[in-house]
Amino acid sequence: MTQPVRSRLVFPPQQSVTNAVLSPQEVEVRLGNTSIKGMGYHQGLLGPTLIANAGEQAQIKVQNQLKEPTNVHWHGLVVPADQDGHPEQLIAPSASQTYLFQIKQAGGLYWYHPHPHNLTAKQAYLGLAGLFVVRDPLEAKLNLPVDSQEAFLVLQDKRLENNALDYKPNQQDIMSGYLGQDILVNGQKNTQMQVFQGIYRLRILNGSNARVYNIAFDKETPFWIIGGDGGLTETPYPSKAVLLGPGERLDLLADFSSHEAGSSLKLISQPFKGVKTQGQQAFSLLDIQIEKGPIKPYLIPNQLATLEKIQTPQGTKTRSFELQGMKMSGVDAMPEMGHGSMMMPTGGNTIMRGMHTINGKTFDMKRIDETVPAGASEIWVFDNSKGDEIHPMHLHGAQFQIIQREGGRNSVFSHEKTRKDTVLLMPGEKVSIAVKFPDYKGKYVIHCHNLEHEDDGMMLNFELI
Ligand code: C2O
Ligand code: CU
Ligand code: CU
């Protein structure tokens, strides 16, 4: 009945955020048939899923057992600047830091990962990442699927051709991002998720360095988008496919009740247009095996959340961020995954750095690029209209609302109709967002969440004063 080569998908252990411990360390894990060296926040790739209730005080001790500095950024969480994992705030090897902050935001799926400049991409790629779930009472009232009917999925692409998880980007990798042809779900390869014939809540993180997924099912399966990065949408939106960039999250309800017990389907990435370097063919993300078993009946609610609109009256301060990547001949020839062609020869290439800029600048740890009054509401515009690369732009320190997307796909998509912290810009697109900054003061960053671009310097500081 089941495909013997696949093992059962395992979900990371859950840990309360009120007294959590993370231990960044080198790990050795079994992936498929081989043993692979990577990094984790516990003895395995990735880390525990941290669980918080809105209002709670988080206390998370991070003990660095690596041979290099690291730190932790709580992606999507609005925390004081000195707890945010700014690239300047490092934890030395053998040192520890206890992060303290209060959860002051809506229920949602957030995540955590390292943020030391020039090491973020490598450490995240090698396995340092984990989920951070915030629960709140309004969400609890909706009676959404829980326990075994709520599945957390971290999607990542890796290169495992040499039975290793090496991180050695060449020039083309820095341009397109470090793409791999092996898909890991929750840090595991060739797995299968068992479901019964009913409604499941799938909470998905694109935890890849650079890959965009066009998430869909390969067999007719009704599903509804119920949320994105920073919480629920106002209503469920029936959907067929969702384009999800690195760093973005997706909350959906999928109804498997029309599938027969014993059958299987796949969560896949569908081909998409707009860029030549990826998504040119469908590929499988996760096998889903339908089985007979006890299922709790759930309904698709009509109404989910009420989103307070961030007001941006006439005269609201607007800041523009022009995104740029240097055009490099040969990038267009970057092959798609699937034929072992992802491994580009590195032979003797010298690496040119600093090709990805925001407003013509690359990251300078000490330079303050924007000064913003704490508590202010502003309009920020990310402009990729002249760019020819994909840039998932991410803001620390706040959740924002998307006002509009001009050019390219020219619309705001269902999973974007909520609070966001990361927004995908395809080439030719310009996105305006409304942001209400917190009352915290201090230094935060904005950057491209293509982690190769970020480490290449596609990041700026802003200071709340
Ligand atoms: Cu998920 Cu500044 O990053
Ligand atoms: Cu972040
Ligand atoms: Cu980018």
Side-chain angles (χ1 to χ4, degrees), residues 124-126 154-160 165 177-185 206-213 246 278 283 285 337 342 452:
Y125 179 81
L126 292 180
V154 180
L155 305 179
Q156 295 174 311
D157 61 326
K158 309 285 180 193
R159 297 177 188 178
L160 299 172
L165 202 54
Y178 206 68
L179 303 171
Q181 62 192 32
D182 294 286
I183 302 295
L184 302 190
V185 180
N206 180 351
S208 309
N209 277 34
R211 185 173 287 281
V212 174
Y213 302 94
Q278 57 180 171
F283 54 91
L285 299 172
M337 64 192 298
M342 210 47 113
E452 282 66 45

Short mmCIF file of all heavy atoms in Angstrom, two decimals, residues 124-126 154-160 165 177-185 206-213 246 278 283 285 337 342 452:
data_model
loop_
_atom_site.label_atom_id
_atom_site.label_comp_id
_atom_site.label_asym_id
_atom_site.label_seq_id
_atom_site.Cartn_x
_atom_site.Cartn_y
_atom_site.Cartn_z
N ALA A 124 22.09 28.97 7.84
CA ALA A 124 20.71 28.57 7.60
C ALA A 124 20.67 27.38 6.65
O ALA A 124 19.93 26.41 6.86
CB ALA A 124 19.91 29.74 7.01
N TYR A 125 21.51 27.42 5.63
CA TYR A 125 21.55 26.32 4.67
C TYR A 125 21.94 25.01 5.33
O TYR A 125 21.39 23.95 5.05
CB TYR A 125 22.53 26.65 3.54
CG TYR A 125 22.64 25.56 2.52
CD1 TYR A 125 21.69 25.43 1.51
CD2 TYR A 125 23.68 24.62 2.58
CE1 TYR A 125 21.77 24.40 0.59
CE2 TYR A 125 23.76 23.58 1.67
CZ TYR A 125 22.81 23.48 0.67
OH TYR A 125 22.87 22.46 -0.23
N LEU A 126 22.90 25.07 6.25
CA LEU A 126 23.38 23.86 6.90
C LEU A 126 22.39 23.31 7.93
O LEU A 126 22.58 22.22 8.45
CB LEU A 126 24.75 24.10 7.55
CG LEU A 126 25.90 24.33 6.56
CD1 LEU A 126 27.22 24.55 7.28
CD2 LEU A 126 26.03 23.17 5.58
N VAL A 154 8.34 22.62 6.98
CA VAL A 154 9.44 23.51 6.58
C VAL A 154 10.00 22.99 5.25
O VAL A 154 10.52 21.87 5.19
CB VAL A 154 10.57 23.52 7.63
CG1 VAL A 154 11.70 24.46 7.20
CG2 VAL A 154 10.02 23.92 9.00
N LEU A 155 9.87 23.80 4.20
CA LEU A 155 10.33 23.38 2.87
C LEU A 155 11.70 23.98 2.59
O LEU A 155 11.89 25.20 2.71
CB LEU A 155 9.37 23.86 1.79
CG LEU A 155 7.89 23.46 1.94
CD1 LEU A 155 7.09 24.06 0.78
CD2 LEU A 155 7.76 21.95 1.95
N GLN A 156 12.64 23.13 2.21
CA GLN A 156 13.98 23.61 1.88
C GLN A 156 14.56 22.79 0.73
O GLN A 156 14.31 21.59 0.64
CB GLN A 156 14.91 23.50 3.09
CG GLN A 156 14.48 24.39 4.25
CD GLN A 156 15.32 24.16 5.50
OE1 GLN A 156 15.51 23.02 5.91
NE2 GLN A 156 15.81 25.23 6.08
N ASP A 157 15.33 23.44 -0.10
CA ASP A 157 16.02 22.70 -1.16
C ASP A 157 17.51 22.64 -0.86
O ASP A 157 18.09 23.62 -0.39
CB ASP A 157 15.77 23.33 -2.53
CG ASP A 157 16.26 24.76 -2.63
OD1 ASP A 157 16.21 25.50 -1.61
OD2 ASP A 157 16.73 25.17 -3.71
N LYS A 158 18.10 21.48 -1.10
CA LYS A 158 19.52 21.29 -0.80
C LYS A 158 20.19 20.59 -1.96
O LYS A 158 19.53 20.00 -2.81
CB LYS A 158 19.70 20.40 0.45
CG LYS A 158 18.91 20.83 1.68
CD LYS A 158 19.49 22.03 2.39
CE LYS A 158 18.65 22.39 3.59
NZ LYS A 158 18.97 23.71 4.14
N ARG A 159 21.52 20.63 -1.95
CA ARG A 159 22.30 19.86 -2.92
C ARG A 159 22.95 18.71 -2.17
O ARG A 159 23.81 18.95 -1.34
CB ARG A 159 23.42 20.72 -3.51
CG ARG A 159 22.93 21.87 -4.28
CD ARG A 159 24.08 22.71 -4.78
NE ARG A 159 23.54 23.92 -5.36
CZ ARG A 159 24.28 24.89 -5.86
NH1 ARG A 159 25.59 24.78 -5.84
NH2 ARG A 159 23.72 25.96 -6.37
N LEU A 160 22.54 17.51 -2.50
CA LEU A 160 23.10 16.38 -1.76
C LEU A 160 23.86 15.43 -2.69
O LEU A 160 24.12 14.29 -2.35
CB LEU A 160 21.98 15.61 -1.06
CG LEU A 160 21.19 16.44 -0.02
CD1 LEU A 160 19.99 15.67 0.49
CD2 LEU A 160 22.10 16.82 1.14
N LEU A 165 26.47 18.22 2.65
CA LEU A 165 25.67 19.43 2.66
C LEU A 165 26.63 20.62 2.63
O LEU A 165 26.62 21.44 3.51
CB LEU A 165 24.82 19.43 3.94
CG LEU A 165 23.55 20.26 4.02
CD1 LEU A 165 22.60 19.97 2.89
CD2 LEU A 165 22.86 20.00 5.35
N GLY A 177 20.99 32.76 -6.29
CA GLY A 177 20.71 32.12 -5.02
C GLY A 177 21.14 30.67 -5.09
O GLY A 177 21.26 30.10 -6.17
N TYR A 178 21.38 30.07 -3.93
CA TYR A 178 21.91 28.71 -3.86
C TYR A 178 20.75 27.72 -3.96
O TYR A 178 20.10 27.39 -2.98
CB TYR A 178 22.64 28.55 -2.52
CG TYR A 178 23.73 27.50 -2.51
CD1 TYR A 178 24.89 27.69 -3.23
CD2 TYR A 178 23.60 26.35 -1.74
CE1 TYR A 178 25.91 26.76 -3.20
CE2 TYR A 178 24.62 25.41 -1.69
CZ TYR A 178 25.77 25.61 -2.43
OH TYR A 178 26.79 24.69 -2.37
N LEU A 179 20.49 27.28 -5.16
CA LEU A 179 19.37 26.36 -5.39
C LEU A 179 19.86 24.92 -5.35
O LEU A 179 20.98 24.63 -5.75
CB LEU A 179 18.74 26.64 -6.76
CG LEU A 179 18.25 28.08 -6.99
CD1 LEU A 179 17.85 28.27 -8.45
CD2 LEU A 179 17.10 28.40 -6.08
N GLY A 180 19.02 24.03 -4.86
CA GLY A 180 19.39 22.62 -4.82
C GLY A 180 18.29 21.77 -5.40
O GLY A 180 17.15 22.20 -5.52
N GLN A 181 18.62 20.53 -5.72
CA GLN A 181 17.60 19.68 -6.36
C GLN A 181 17.03 18.64 -5.42
O GLN A 181 16.18 17.85 -5.81
CB GLN A 181 18.17 19.02 -7.60
CG GLN A 181 19.34 18.11 -7.31
CD GLN A 181 20.03 17.71 -8.58
OE1 GLN A 181 20.06 18.49 -9.53
NE2 GLN A 181 20.58 16.53 -8.60
N ASP A 182 17.45 18.64 -4.18
CA ASP A 182 16.85 17.72 -3.21
C ASP A 182 15.98 18.52 -2.27
O ASP A 182 16.44 19.47 -1.64
CB ASP A 182 17.94 17.00 -2.41
CG ASP A 182 18.75 16.08 -3.29
OD1 ASP A 182 18.21 15.02 -3.66
OD2 ASP A 182 19.89 16.43 -3.65
N ILE A 183 14.72 18.13 -2.18
CA ILE A 183 13.79 18.84 -1.30
C ILE A 183 13.74 18.15 0.06
O ILE A 183 13.53 16.95 0.15
CB ILE A 183 12.37 18.86 -1.90
CG1 ILE A 183 12.38 19.52 -3.29
CG2 ILE A 183 11.39 19.56 -0.96
CD1 ILE A 183 12.75 20.98 -3.31
N LEU A 184 13.98 18.92 1.10
CA LEU A 184 13.80 18.41 2.45
C LEU A 184 12.54 19.02 3.04
O LEU A 184 12.26 20.20 2.85
CB LEU A 184 14.99 18.77 3.35
CG LEU A 184 16.39 18.31 2.95
CD1 LEU A 184 17.37 18.57 4.09
CD2 LEU A 184 16.41 16.85 2.55
N VAL A 185 11.78 18.18 3.75
CA VAL A 185 10.64 18.68 4.51
C VAL A 185 10.95 18.42 5.97
O VAL A 185 11.27 17.29 6.35
CB VAL A 185 9.33 17.98 4.09
CG1 VAL A 185 8.15 18.53 4.90
CG2 VAL A 185 9.08 18.17 2.60
N ASN A 206 8.49 28.54 3.76
CA ASN A 206 9.54 28.40 2.76
C ASN A 206 10.84 28.80 3.45
O ASN A 206 11.17 29.97 3.56
CB ASN A 206 9.29 29.26 1.52
CG ASN A 206 10.40 29.08 0.49
OD1 ASN A 206 11.43 28.45 0.77
ND2 ASN A 206 10.21 29.64 -0.70
N GLY A 207 11.56 27.81 3.92
CA GLY A 207 12.80 28.04 4.66
C GLY A 207 14.03 27.87 3.76
O GLY A 207 15.12 27.62 4.26
N SER A 208 13.83 28.01 2.47
CA SER A 208 14.93 27.85 1.52
C SER A 208 15.76 29.12 1.45
O SER A 208 15.26 30.21 1.69
CB SER A 208 14.38 27.55 0.13
OG SER A 208 13.45 26.50 0.19
N ASN A 209 17.01 28.97 1.06
CA ASN A 209 17.85 30.15 0.89
C ASN A 209 17.34 31.04 -0.23
O ASN A 209 17.36 32.26 -0.11
CB ASN A 209 19.30 29.74 0.57
CG ASN A 209 20.08 29.41 1.84
OD1 ASN A 209 19.51 28.90 2.80
ND2 ASN A 209 21.36 29.71 1.84
N ALA A 210 16.90 30.44 -1.33
CA ALA A 210 16.59 31.25 -2.50
C ALA A 210 15.43 30.76 -3.35
O ALA A 210 14.93 31.50 -4.19
CB ALA A 210 17.84 31.34 -3.40
N ARG A 211 15.00 29.53 -3.15
CA ARG A 211 14.02 28.97 -4.07
C ARG A 211 12.59 29.44 -3.78
O ARG A 211 12.17 29.53 -2.63
CB ARG A 211 14.06 27.43 -4.03
CG ARG A 211 13.13 26.78 -5.05
CD ARG A 211 13.31 25.27 -5.12
NE ARG A 211 14.56 24.88 -5.77
CZ ARG A 211 14.74 24.88 -7.09
NH1 ARG A 211 13.78 25.25 -7.90
NH2 ARG A 211 15.90 24.50 -7.59
N VAL A 212 11.89 29.74 -4.85
CA VAL A 212 10.47 30.10 -4.78
C VAL A 212 9.68 28.84 -5.15
O VAL A 212 10.05 28.12 -6.07
CB VAL A 212 10.16 31.23 -5.78
CG1 VAL A 212 8.67 31.53 -5.83
CG2 VAL A 212 10.95 32.48 -5.42
N TYR A 213 8.61 28.56 -4.42
CA TYR A 213 7.75 27.42 -4.74
C TYR A 213 6.38 27.91 -5.18
O TYR A 213 5.86 28.87 -4.62
CB TYR A 213 7.57 26.50 -3.53
CG TYR A 213 8.86 25.97 -2.96
CD1 TYR A 213 9.49 26.63 -1.90
CD2 TYR A 213 9.47 24.84 -3.49
CE1 TYR A 213 10.69 26.16 -1.39
CE2 TYR A 213 10.67 24.36 -2.98
CZ TYR A 213 11.27 25.03 -1.93
OH TYR A 213 12.47 24.57 -1.43
N PRO A 246 11.18 32.78 -0.42
CA PRO A 246 11.96 32.46 0.76
C PRO A 246 11.59 33.35 1.94
O PRO A 246 11.49 34.57 1.79
CB PRO A 246 13.40 32.73 0.32
CG PRO A 246 13.38 32.59 -1.15
CD PRO A 246 12.02 33.04 -1.59
N GLN A 278 14.32 29.26 -12.37
CA GLN A 278 13.71 28.20 -11.58
C GLN A 278 12.24 28.03 -11.93
O GLN A 278 11.66 28.86 -12.59
CB GLN A 278 13.85 28.47 -10.09
CG GLN A 278 13.27 29.79 -9.69
CD GLN A 278 13.40 30.10 -8.19
OE1 GLN A 278 13.11 31.19 -7.80
NE2 GLN A 278 13.81 29.14 -7.39
N PHE A 283 7.87 19.89 -9.67
CA PHE A 283 8.59 18.89 -8.89
C PHE A 283 7.86 18.65 -7.59
O PHE A 283 7.07 19.46 -7.13
CB PHE A 283 10.06 19.28 -8.68
CG PHE A 283 10.27 20.65 -8.09
CD1 PHE A 283 10.37 20.81 -6.71
CD2 PHE A 283 10.39 21.76 -8.90
CE1 PHE A 283 10.57 22.06 -6.16
CE2 PHE A 283 10.58 23.02 -8.36
CZ PHE A 283 10.67 23.17 -6.99
N LEU A 285 7.17 17.99 -3.65
CA LEU A 285 7.64 18.47 -2.36
C LEU A 285 7.43 17.43 -1.27
O LEU A 285 8.30 17.21 -0.44
CB LEU A 285 6.91 19.77 -1.97
CG LEU A 285 7.09 20.95 -2.92
CD1 LEU A 285 6.18 22.10 -2.54
CD2 LEU A 285 8.54 21.40 -2.93
N MET A 337 16.29 22.45 -11.95
CA MET A 337 16.61 21.25 -11.18
C MET A 337 16.16 20.00 -11.92
O MET A 337 15.30 20.03 -12.77
CB MET A 337 15.95 21.31 -9.82
CG MET A 337 14.45 21.31 -9.86
SD MET A 337 13.79 21.71 -8.25
CE MET A 337 14.43 20.36 -7.29
N MET A 342 22.29 21.04 -11.45
CA MET A 342 22.33 22.15 -10.54
C MET A 342 23.74 22.45 -10.06
O MET A 342 24.05 23.53 -9.62
CB MET A 342 21.45 21.80 -9.34
CG MET A 342 20.83 22.98 -8.71
SD MET A 342 20.12 24.05 -9.89
CE MET A 342 18.46 23.86 -9.47
N GLU A 452 21.63 34.49 -0.26
CA GLU A 452 22.88 34.81 -0.96
C GLU A 452 22.93 36.30 -1.26
O GLU A 452 23.97 36.93 -1.13
CB GLU A 452 23.01 33.99 -2.25
CG GLU A 452 23.45 32.54 -2.03
CD GLU A 452 22.44 31.70 -1.27
OE1 GLU A 452 21.24 31.79 -1.60
OE2 GLU A 452 22.84 30.96 -0.35
#
